[in-house]
């Protein structure tokens, strides 16, 4: 007699899951909350720009106007593409904050030691350990003490700092006017003495903010960055700890996200892949994106070439294998093109998004005809904008930059000129065509996204080709 067996099926309780839109909203809320909070904290705790910087005798050394004009001039001349400020910028030339801070510290040390502002790094290293320790205490007392008065908005320097700063201004006048082959700084980068003084004033302010301690804090406005033992800039231990903690939190958050995602996955929903999957024929809207891919690859090639030229400047600061390339394609220009082409190339990844979106969108929610019209409307609008607006205005500014300097090309006189005024009006038709195409694309894409989230993502039955195994 056979024993009957019972076929028991255990009822599985439904699993509560977050939809993809819910995850997207959650991630955006958390990340943007952190970004906005951090931005507000940075703005609130930004280092002050003194209305005036004075000597112990209350003689004016620099003003807020000098600092702000110096920043504008520095940016207008492409300074961020050659050197860096607080670590932000290019690394071909020195970090201007670190360089000014160390030069200022050495000159101050020389004045305190032997009344010699021409004190060098070699002179410092020739001192005994005891002399270095004693001198370090004096220099750090000058630089780490915050003498900024928030009521009068005046920053008072010590006598040694005031004299040392004079030496820094002399050094930077030679550097910015004569240039440096080592740092790919062309000769005559600055010719106006007032501009040189203002730019150096801006560097000086960043150096002070990097050295002077925050009120009621044992570290500077930049958390003792850049490092400089002479000044007393060492990384605070709490910041090192928080850097390690932030990496651990990042890894833990990624692990938590993967854990939650995997625990919500149902094994019964996993789809097997055929041993010989078919190759699906592209739709008309997917074929039209080949223009985007072609443009992306062209821009990527030009970007690589500009990157090669930019990297070579670190080896040969004023040319390219003997060719005076600096006269025709300066380092700042090649680096600018290298970075901006990367932005355009990344933006062209829109083609990949549209191609993939069509692949997973149900046919009922996709309109091939209107999508193609929106695509061509966007591109035709861009061509009109470039031919009649961006290229003529950019060429006009280029001519003014070559003849008078970048600062003049960005001045109100050029921006408000009749030529620039007409280029704005000439590009309006392109703007309208582009805007209509973009609006039409949004109308086409939104139903597709809604349809994807309303039903499981399944490959849509379309004409396909099975590859020959031979």
């Amino acid at each position: 007699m056979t024993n009957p067996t019972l076929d028991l099926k255990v009822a599985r309780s439904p699993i509560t899951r977050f939809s993809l839109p819910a995850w997207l909203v959650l991630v955006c809320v958390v990340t943007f909350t952190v970004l906005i909070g951090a931005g507000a904290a940075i703005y609130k705790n930004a280092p002050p720009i003194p209305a005036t910087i004075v000597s112990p005798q209350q003689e004016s050394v620099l003003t807020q106007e000098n600092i702000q004009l110096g920043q504008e001039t520095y940016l207008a001349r492409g300074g961020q593409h050659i050197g860096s400020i607080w670590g932000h910028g290019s690394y071909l030339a020195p970090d201007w904050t670190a360089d000014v801070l160390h030069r200022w510290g050495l000159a101050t040390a020389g004045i305190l030691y032997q009344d010699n502002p021409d004190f060098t790094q070699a002179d410092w290293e020739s001192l005994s350990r005891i002399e270095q320790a004693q001198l370090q205490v004096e220099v750090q007392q000058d630089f780490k003490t915050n003498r900024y008065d928030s009521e009068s908005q005046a920053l008072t320097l010590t006598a040694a700092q005031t004299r040392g700063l004079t030496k820094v201004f002399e050094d930077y006048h030679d550097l910015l006017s004569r240039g440096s082959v080592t740092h790919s700084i062309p000769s005559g980068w600055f010719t106006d003495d007032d501009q040189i003084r203002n730019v150096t004033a801006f560097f000086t302010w960043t150096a002070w903010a990097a050295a002077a301690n925050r009120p009621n804090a044992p570290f500077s406005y930049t958390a003792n960055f850049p490092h400089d033992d002479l000044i007393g800039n060492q990384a605070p231990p709490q910041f090192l700890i928080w850097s390690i903690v932030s990496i651990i939190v990042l890894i833990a958050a990624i692990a938590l996200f993967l854990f939650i995602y995997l625990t919500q996955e149902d094994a019964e929903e996993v789809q097997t892949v055929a041993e010989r999957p078919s190759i699906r024929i592209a739709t008309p809207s997917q074929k039209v994106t080949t223009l985007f891919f072609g443009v992306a690859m062209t821009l990527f090639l030009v970007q690589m070439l500009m990157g090669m030229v930019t990297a070579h400047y670190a080896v040969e600061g004023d040319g390219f294998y003997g060719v005076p390339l600096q006269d025709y394609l300066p380092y700042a220009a090649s680096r600018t093109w290298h970075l901006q082409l990367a932005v355009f190339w990344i933006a062209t990844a829109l083609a990949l998004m549209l191609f993939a979106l069509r692949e997973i969108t149900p046919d009922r929610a996709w309109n091939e005809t209107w999508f193609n019209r929106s695509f061509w409307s966007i591109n035709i609008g861009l061509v009109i904008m470039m031919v009649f607006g961006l290229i003529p205005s950019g060429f006009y500014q280029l001519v003014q930059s070559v003849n008078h300097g970048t600062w003049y090309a960005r001045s109100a006189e050029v921006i408000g000129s009749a030529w620039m005024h007409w280029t704005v009006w000439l590009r309006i038709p392109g703007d309208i065509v582009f805007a209509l195409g973009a609006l039409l694309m949004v109308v086409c894409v939104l139903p597709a996204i809604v349809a994807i989230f309303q039903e499981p993502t399944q490959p849509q039955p379309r004409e396909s080709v099975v590859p020959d195994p031979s």
Side-chain angles (χ1 to χ4, degrees), residues 396-464:
Y396 178 70
Q397 285 187 293
L398 175 63
V399 172
Q400 301 304 320
S401 178
V402 171
N403 293 335
H404 305 287
T406 308
W407 65 271
Y408 181 73
R410 299 181 180 181
S411 65
E413 183 177 353
V414 172
I415 300 299
S417 63
W419 178 275
M420 298 293 287
H421 180 75
W422 277 108
T423 57
V424 171
W425 281 101
L426 289 174
R427 63 169 283 179
I428 287 180
D431 292 344
I432 296 174
V433 175
F434 176 84
L436 291 176
L439 179 61
L440 186 58
M441 181 168 288
V442 171
V443 173
C444 293
V445 168
L446 281 180
I449 296 176
V450 172
I452 292 171
F453 287 128
Q454 285 180 344
E455 60 184 64
T457 301
Q458 298 285 353
Q460 303 303 312
R462 281 208 313 263
E463 185 180 359
S464 59

Side-chain angles (χ1 to χ4, degrees), residues 7 119 132 258 349:
D7 185 12
F119 196 72
Q132 286 182 351
L258 293 176

